[in-house]
Amino acid sequence: MLSSGALGPAAAAGAAAACAPLPGGLNPIWLAQSKLRRRRFDEAIEICSAALAAKPYDQAAWYLKARALTLKNWLDDSEIEEEGIGDALLEEAGTAQVARPGTSLARPSGGANAPSSSGGGSSSPAVRPVSHAGRPLTGFARPGTSTRPGTGARPGTTGGAAAVQAALRGGGKPGTARPVTSSGRFVRLGTASLASEPGGPFINAGRLDLRKYAARPNLARVLCDYLLHVDNDARRALELAAAATQAAGFEDWWWKARLGEAYGRLGLLRDAAQQLASSLRNQDMVSTALALGRVHQRLDQPAAALALYADAAARQPWEPGLLLAAARVKDAMGQGEEALGLYQQVLAMDASSVEAIACLGAHHFYSDQPELALRHFRRLLQMGVASAELWANVGLACFAAGQYDLALPAMERALAAADDGAAPEVWYNVGQIATGIGDTSWAAQCFRLAVSLDPTHAEAWNNLAVLEARRGSEARARAYLRTARAAGPGAYEAHFNAALLAWRRGELQEAWGAVNAGLAAFGAHPEGLELRRLIRAQLTAL
Amino acid sequence: MEASRSNALIHQLYVRQEYDECLKLVDSVLAETGGQCEHAIYVKALIERHRGRIADSLRLFQQATALNPHNVGRSLALLGKHSQAIEVYDEAQKLAGHQDWELWHAKGLCHAQLEGGHEAALECFAFANAIQPNDATYQRISELHAARGDHGPAAAALMEALEHSPDSADLLASLGLLLLRSGDAQRAFDQLGTSLLHEPRGARAILADHGDHDAALVKYRVVAAVEPDCPQLWNNAGAAFYGKQRYIAAIACLKRAAYLAPLEWVTAYNLGLAHLATGQAASAFHHLSAAVNLRPDFAPRQAGGSGRAAVVWAARAPARSYGLMGVALARLDDPDNARAAYARAAALDPGEPSFRLNHAVLLHSLGDAGGAAAQLGAYWEAAAARRGAPDAEEGCQDPDAAEAAGALARALGLAVPSGAQ
């Protein structure tokens, strides 16, 4: 079995000078396999390249190299759902333009539009702030939840321009661009990964006879993963997977799952759902269930996703990933209380789940238990998470718990750790603390810093306006409120304050428009409803 | 013939609030008559106004204006063009004579919105009421008086209105709150109680605190179901819990109120009070300093209010904040700043005895017998003045305070003045 040791090093030296010579007498294939197992992908790739240069048709070397390349470029996308602008705007998968409340992510049942029958739950927008898209803030920033355009603002229904604006703005931080389409992003990723390979692409997928590969299941699987994750060529992967499924007699769950993934990348969501469901019927797998759930969410069918997760969790009771996914959907639907129980179950299984701890901490903070929230945040700090956001949360929880001497140092740390994206939020929160202490001029300074870093920070503009109005300069307050309303249509406070000022001045037209905009963002706002009642009484009087 | 039949139908649709249907009919009628049907235009304008499109409605009214100047004025007023509206109303009065109370009322509203139009507005409202008394007019009059701080005439206007409609929960609640603000607690609660009889869920009336904390808490629970995010509600509930000496519950409620409305100085003040009661002097100091910062108008006001510590009705608040801050600072072993706080409190409200006594106790504990004696003397003086005052409250002569003053006097070797016990 041992090949002559001289061959490998000589060839390798020709390919890459940096490659260390093989230890004497070692089989390069065995060594490459060992390196692959130890996740030293670059070394494995080099050894395989050398072996292939000597023997171009060495299947073992080809297999190992494809595997190493795939693993090197592997992106665990089970947690990522980024919708491009095009996907969000031109979505045609949704079935109902105006979905019933509670059946669509665009119209969550709880939160902003729910009647406040729950007796002041912590997900009321008056207690818990909302994101740009009008959702209650969760304790954990997730890519998927913030990008979907807000309530009913789909083109063709109301305000197409507003929908485009919302889609372009996204839910992200200032200065982050959002891809035009998600498939375009994959194409870029593909070219990037290929360009980094010396000597051109390893496999030229366009020239392969995929049907021939489909008949050889072991090679075909490696090739399929390579196409999906290195080439990012979902179309060729789809062809290969379709042929291979056929060759396997439509009984192989693995191929069906890959078919589903390829369909999903191409934006053919219905086909993807069909294949993934079929794969799940063949073999119950957590990853397939998670993928199918994500497809359901992209189709705007949160109820289907929840049912799927619950079903899968009953069969796999030890898997925290399913519970977390269900909790995320609940959060996005504005059912924070139900998500809470799921997070607690997740923590029982996986005591170091950052997401669950962060969400529980945020929940305790918003339900008037800052001391409990502080314990959760401290646990995160102990686990080594030290982001600006976390320090800001620690500072706010300390402040709410009355520990002023700890709150300000925590905020200082947050500012030191903050990048451009987090800094406006941290300054905004420092401003809240300043307001709580009663130092309004310091608060105004903080809010001004926040808007200088992020001119679309609607809440900071609104608070600036309130402080100005307190000081008596109403004209400036009005200007700030106008900016706030343009920057964040979801911030009901700015609409309401603008309406109140207009009402006091007797300009009912402006007041009427503003109060209605505010109620569109938060339908159960009691003061807003009262103001609308007063204005309507004026309008209907003869 | 044709037009009049349509008019009846238009009117019927309008009063049934079937606006879409009505607009369709109006448009067809207008197309038939070439835009000459006055009633159709009028109804269309009204519908537009109901829907909040005042500018469109104004344009329509101007089309139909020749016969009805009142609505043009109203549209202008709703758009905030008050002086223009007044001109239109003047013209209308020339046409219609001066016997239309609505025109007077509307003109009063416009004057009230203009700067310096206070007297003119009151005059207009008086004319309107002379022609026909009206609840809305009385309420505006009362609001105008109250905005200037004239509580007496404001209450008088409301009482006159109540003679005409004694069952109006709204009027009763307004009157109750007004009386409460002017310090007449007993009558205020009578009025508010009557208001609650007529409208058991009226939040405004419920929110005024009664002396009876348990009853108040029951009522707050009713409001909490309707408006869970109302900061005033949580503040008052916290105050009620404080009155029942359930301090933890009080602090929880007050914290929620402070979260919902961080700029309310009353909440900060109450939080300071509650923290003092639980012995957390540092937190109390922070909340009291917030209360002082948030209430920049330091001018001492006329004493009034219901004298209960938990329910502070706008009076003497800054002075009390400083007085309590002195207590907190004394507990924190910072006598210099505590003395400064007491001095500030005494300067803001010279008639209040409690700061003097606390100051005297502090000075005594510091060993400054002369200063303590001076402050104690000031205390007796203020307490005697308070007792002799016509609006003497039962709360101002606290037996505990008198006892402490007596003990201090004995310690200092002073004679207790007669009548102070």
Side-chain angles (χ1 to χ4, degrees):
Chain A
M1 281 302 286
L2 289 181
S3 62
S4 64
L7 180 66
C19 182
L22 276 182
L26 274 189
N27 184 332
I29 300 298
W30 180 86
L31 188 61
Q33 197 176 9
S34 164
K35 298 263 187 206
L36 180 68
R37 218 166 31 228
R38 283 179 283 158
R39 303 187 68 77
R40 296 193 180 160
F41 301 129
D42 288 328
E43 292 172 34
I45 291 167
E46 264 173 46
I47 296 169
C48 290
S49 302
L52 281 172
K55 281 199 278 179
Y57 292 105
D58 186 342
Q59 283 190 10
W62 187 91
Y63 176 95
L64 285 174
K65 184 170 178 187
R67 193 90 194 99
L69 276 170
T70 310
L71 286 175
K72 187 179 153 194
N73 289 300
W74 186 283
L75 201 60
D76 184 6
D77 57 357
S78 62
E79 307 272 307
I80 299 172
E81 199 215 352
E82 179 128 46
E83 276 190 317
I85 299 168
D87 304 337
L89 277 181
L90 304 175
E91 183 193 313
E92 49 201 11
T95 44
Q97 289 281 340
V98 184
R100 272 162 49 205
T103 63
S104 160
L105 289 170
R107 282 190 76 189
S109 61
N113 296 310
S116 57
S117 55
S118 53
S122 65
S123 58
S124 154
V127 176
R128 184 177 269 224
V130 295
S131 64
H132 277 300
R135 295 243 178 77
L137 277 191
T138 54
F140 198 75
R142 304 173 185 129
T145 51
S146 50
T147 49
R148 196 173 278 277
T151 43
R154 291 276 161 80
T157 52
T158 49
V164 175
Q165 278 295 318
L168 284 173
R169 201 187 305 121
K173 296 170 172 177
T176 56
R178 137 173 231 200
V180 177
T181 59
S182 52
S183 52
R185 187 191 188 88
F186 280 122
V187 170
R188 273 209 309 286
L189 281 176
T191 47
S193 65
L194 290 184
S196 67
E197 284 302 310
F202 167 51
I203 300 171
N204 193 341
R207 282 176 26 206
L208 291 182
D209 181 5
L210 293 176
R211 247 167 320 184
K212 203 177 81 195
Y213 276 89
R216 300 157 72 181
N218 296 334
L219 282 185
R221 287 182 192 208
V222 177
L223 179 61
C224 182
D225 273 349
Y226 178 87
L227 289 175
L228 275 175
H229 291 282
V230 183
D231 250 356
N232 281 298
D233 188 348
R235 214 164 47 83
R236 297 291 286 173
L238 182 66
E239 252 174 76
L240 177 63
T245 324
Q246 202 175 6
F250 303 102
E251 285 299 327
D252 192 321
W253 70 270
W254 195 91
W255 282 114
K256 287 182 187 169
R258 287 302 181 277
L259 260 182
E261 191 175 346
Y263 273 130
R265 290 249 185 119
L266 290 171
L268 299 168
L269 300 177
R270 300 265 173 211
D271 297 299
Q274 204 181 352
Q275 292 298 337
L276 288 170
S278 168
S279 166
L280 264 186
R281 275 196 296 277
N282 285 131
Q283 173 75 37
D284 193 18
M285 291 298 281
V286 173
S287 62
T288 320
L290 287 175
L292 181 55
R294 278 189 304 130
V295 170
H296 280 315
Q297 287 175 59
R298 278 180 70 185
L299 282 169
D300 200 8
Q301 295 175 335
L306 282 176
L308 174 79
Y309 291 141
D311 196 32
R315 274 177 281 130
Q316 323 228 10
W318 58 86
E319 176 55 51
L322 289 166
L323 296 178
L324 261 185
R328 285 177 199 154
V329 179
K330 293 263 186 206
D331 259 344
M333 299 282 292
Q335 301 164 347
E337 315 284 327
E338 288 165 48
L340 208 62
L342 290 170
Y343 287 127
Q344 270 153 354
Q345 286 179 39
V346 171
L347 271 191
M349 283 180 216
D350 174 9
S352 57
S353 166
V354 174
E355 182 168 0
I357 298 177
C359 287
L360 282 174
H363 173 83
H364 286 306
F365 179 78
Y366 287 119
S367 50
D368 292 338
Q369 294 165 311
E371 292 87 354
L372 273 179
L374 201 54
R375 284 171 65 180
H376 282 98
F377 293 140
R378 204 161 49 207
R379 166 91 182 129
L380 283 180
L381 282 179
Q382 285 164 352
M383 283 167 56
V385 184
S387 65
E389 289 85 354
L390 182 59
W391 279 113
N393 283 351
V394 170
L396 283 176
C398 281
F399 178 74
Q403 302 174 358
Y404 291 12
D405 45 343
L406 294 177
L408 289 177
M411 291 319 259
E412 270 168 19
R413 276 185 179 250
L415 282 174
D419 56 358
D420 281 354
E425 297 291 344
V426 179
W427 277 118
Y428 173 74
N429 284 329
V430 178
Q432 292 286 6
I433 291 184
T435 317
I437 291 174
D439 191 340
T440 47
S441 59
W442 180 27
Q445 267 178 356
C446 294
F447 293 136
R448 226 167 263 138
L449 274 169
V451 297
S452 73
L453 291 165
D454 175 11
T456 64
H457 201 296
E459 289 84 2
W461 281 117
N462 174 57
N463 289 1
L464 264 181
V466 172
L467 292 176
E468 286 293 343
R470 258 179 73 88
R471 241 188 259 164
S473 55
E474 203 179 290
R476 206 174 291 168
R478 256 156 54 203
Y480 287 156
L481 283 175
R482 211 171 301 131
T483 321
R485 293 180 61 196
Y492 74 93
E493 297 96 337
H495 296 301
F496 176 74
N497 289 338
L500 200 59
L501 283 183
W503 159 258
R504 289 213 186 120
R505 279 196 319 280
E507 288 176 16
L508 291 198
Q509 179 74 78
E510 204 185 322
W512 177 255
V515 80
N516 278 326
L519 286 172
F522 176 19
H525 185 217
E527 285 90 354
L529 289 171
E530 175 72 10
L531 184 60
R532 184 161 74 174
R533 194 182 63 75
L534 288 175
I535 297 175
R536 185 173 283 153
Q538 285 271 314
L539 289 177
T540 45
L542 276 176
Chain B
M1 186 66 200
E2 184 72 21
S4 66
R5 198 194 62 197
S6 301
N7 278 354
L9 195 52
I10 287 172
H11 181 71
Q12 205 166 20
L13 286 172
Y14 172 71
V15 296
R16 288 207 303 238
Q17 302 196 357
E18 293 174 11
Y19 294 145
D20 289 323
E21 198 78 351
C22 188
L23 274 186
K24 244 185 254 169
L25 182 64
V26 163
D27 285 337
S28 72
V29 168
L30 286 180
E32 250 173 59
T33 58
Q36 295 301 309
C37 181
E38 192 253 335
H39 183 71
I41 299 178
Y42 176 72
V43 170
K44 189 173 176 186
L46 283 179
I47 293 176
E48 294 287 351
R49 199 164 80 193
H50 286 204
R51 294 184 167 177
R53 291 192 285 264
I54 306 173
D56 291 347
S57 140
L58 173 61
R59 194 176 43 73
L60 289 164
F61 279 132
Q62 274 165 344
Q63 276 182 27
T65 190
L67 291 165
N68 201 341
H70 178 77
N71 273 316
V72 176
R74 178 133 189 87
S75 289
L76 284 170
L78 292 177
L79 280 172
K81 299 172 182 169
H82 300 294
S83 38
Q84 283 184 46
I86 290 174
E87 284 169 24
V88 174
Y89 284 135
D90 282 338
E91 221 159 283
Q93 281 184 332
K94 270 182 217 151
L95 291 175
H98 289 274
Q99 288 306 306
D100 189 345
W101 74 270
E102 274 190 298
L103 285 176
W104 282 114
H105 178 80
K107 222 166 104 175
L109 286 179
C110 291
H111 276 300
Q113 286 285 352
L114 289 176
E115 257 180 59
H118 190 89
E119 296 304 325
L122 283 180
E123 212 171 288
C124 289
F125 286 138
F127 277 122
N129 268 343
I131 299 164
Q132 182 174 346
N134 212 293
D135 284 1
T137 316
Y138 282 120
Q139 277 209 327
R140 294 294 98 69
I141 295 177
S142 145
E143 276 167 22
L144 278 177
H145 283 304
R148 292 175 120 203
D150 303 338
H151 292 305
L158 285 178
M159 281 178 205
E160 214 177 317
L162 277 176
E163 282 171 21
H164 297 288
S165 47
D167 292 344
S168 163
D170 213 20
L171 281 176
L172 285 165
S174 301
L175 180 59
L177 291 177
L178 197 62
L179 288 171
L180 202 55
R181 230 167 272 147
S182 53
D184 193 348
Q186 192 48 49
R187 273 167 72 209
F189 288 133
D190 286 348
Q191 300 292 349
L192 289 171
T194 326
S195 163
L196 278 180
L197 275 184
H198 291 296
E199 194 185 331
R201 293 171 80 85
R204 273 204 309 163
I206 288 178
L207 278 177
D209 198 332
H210 295 237
D212 180 359
H213 298 303
D214 288 312
L217 281 173
V218 170
K219 284 175 180 154
Y220 294 150
R221 199 162 296 148
V222 176
V223 191
V226 186
E227 294 191 22
D229 305 321
C230 173
Q232 291 83 13
L233 166 74
W234 290 108
N235 175 49
N236 290 3
F241 276 124
Y242 177 85
K244 292 178 68 183
Q245 300 184 341
R246 289 174 55 190
Y247 299 123
I248 303 300
I251 289 176
C253 288
L254 290 169
K255 278 235 166 111
R256 174 160 267 220
Y259 177 81
L260 291 167
L263 294 171
E264 287 280 348
W265 65 269
V266 187
T267 310
Y269 175 85
N270 287 345
L271 265 174
L273 212 54
H275 277 109
L276 264 190
T278 52
Q280 292 166 294
S283 299
F285 168 75
H286 281 300
H287 290 298
L288 290 170
S289 88
V292 169
N293 282 334
L294 289 172
R295 195 176 162 80
D297 46 341
F298 284 118
R301 300 207 175 174
Q302 244 354 133
S306 71
R308 248 166 236 287
V311 190
V312 183
W313 293 109
R316 309 191 216 128
R320 284 190 176 189
S321 298
Y322 276 115
L324 290 172
M325 209 192 270
V327 177
L329 284 166
R331 284 196 195 162
L332 288 171
D333 288 335
D334 188 354
D336 295 338
N337 286 323
R339 269 206 303 252
Y342 283 133
R344 188 73 190 263
L348 287 171
D349 190 359
E352 169 70 37
S354 63
F355 322 139
R356 311 281 187 167
L357 181 59
N358 286 336
H359 197 171
V361 172
L362 173 69
L363 289 175
H364 175 63
S365 71
L366 291 174
D368 180 359
Q375 288 298 331
L376 196 58
Y379 163 72
W380 275 319
E381 214 170 280
R386 197 39 78 73
R387 257 198 316 280
D391 62 337
E393 310 154 29
E394 70 270 34
C396 75
Q397 184 55 1
D398 196 342
D400 289 350
E403 199 176 303
L408 185 59
R410 276 192 298 280
L412 290 169
L414 295 173
V416 178
S418 61
Q421 288 295 357

